Amino acid sequence: MIYIQFEKETDVRAFVTFIHYNPLDPTEGLGKTQEELLQTGFLIEGLPEAERKTGKDAKLYFNPQTKEMWYEYVDVPAPMEERITQVEKVSAENKKANLDTQEAVLQLYEMVSQPQPK
């Protein structure tokens, strides 16, 4: 038996917040009876298998009415090193664009400030 606790979002959707794989074990269990555990959560036979998706985290959900379980996949923030690299890249692109703009303004200024032929 596996014990789960969850935060109810609707009558048919709850986010699983706690999982214990051996809740009734005398040494590794939660130190509660089955009846006590059922007051704060559910006992289930097994969990569905989560898919591995790059850049995604699997969030386990539970339907308290049907006892159905499923995963929803959410984006995982990029690691700090990857975000720093991205910021550096954008910064370099912005610097180049700024230099290009300054060069264009200087060329325009030179064209406008040249003496006009009479």
Side-chain angles (χ1 to χ4, degrees):
M1 286 271 174
I2 299 171
Y3 173 72
I4 61 168
Q5 287 181 336
F6 50 86
E7 289 181 19
K8 190 173 178 180
E9 295 177 357
T10 68
D11 287 341
V12 295
R13 176 185 166 91
F15 176 64
V16 176
T17 57
F18 179 77
I19 301 171
H20 194 290
Y21 290 90
N22 208 358
L24 300 173
D25 186 80
T27 56
E28 296 178 356
L30 295 172
K32 296 181 179 181
T33 66
Q34 182 170 334
E35 292 75 26
E36 290 172 320
L37 291 173
L38 292 174
Q39 292 175 7
T40 57
F42 274 94
L43 291 167
I44 58 173
E45 291 299 320
L47 297 174
E49 184 87 19
E51 296 177 36
R52 296 211 182 267
K53 296 184 178 187
T54 304
K56 301 283 186 179
D57 188 23
K59 301 290 184 183
L60 183 59
Y61 285 87
F62 176 70
N63 181 330
Q65 292 180 356
T66 66
K67 314 294 187 277
E68 176 189 10
M69 300 184 84
W70 70 94
Y71 289 97
E72 292 185 11
Y73 299 88
V74 296
D75 292 332
V76 175
M80 184 63 76
E81 294 169 0
E82 190 176 314
R83 290 187 289 180
I84 290 171
T85 301
Q86 184 65 25
V87 167
E88 288 172 343
K89 179 182 174 187
V90 169
S91 179
E93 290 170 356
N94 287 343
K95 185 176 181 179
K96 182 182 180 326
N98 190 24
L99 290 173
D100 291 346
T101 301
Q102 288 178 354
E103 185 177 321
V105 168
L106 179 59
Q107 289 175 356
L108 182 60
Y109 174 76
E110 289 172 352
M111 286 174 38
V112 172
S113 65
Q114 290 179 0
Q116 301 295 324
K118 294 186 179 186

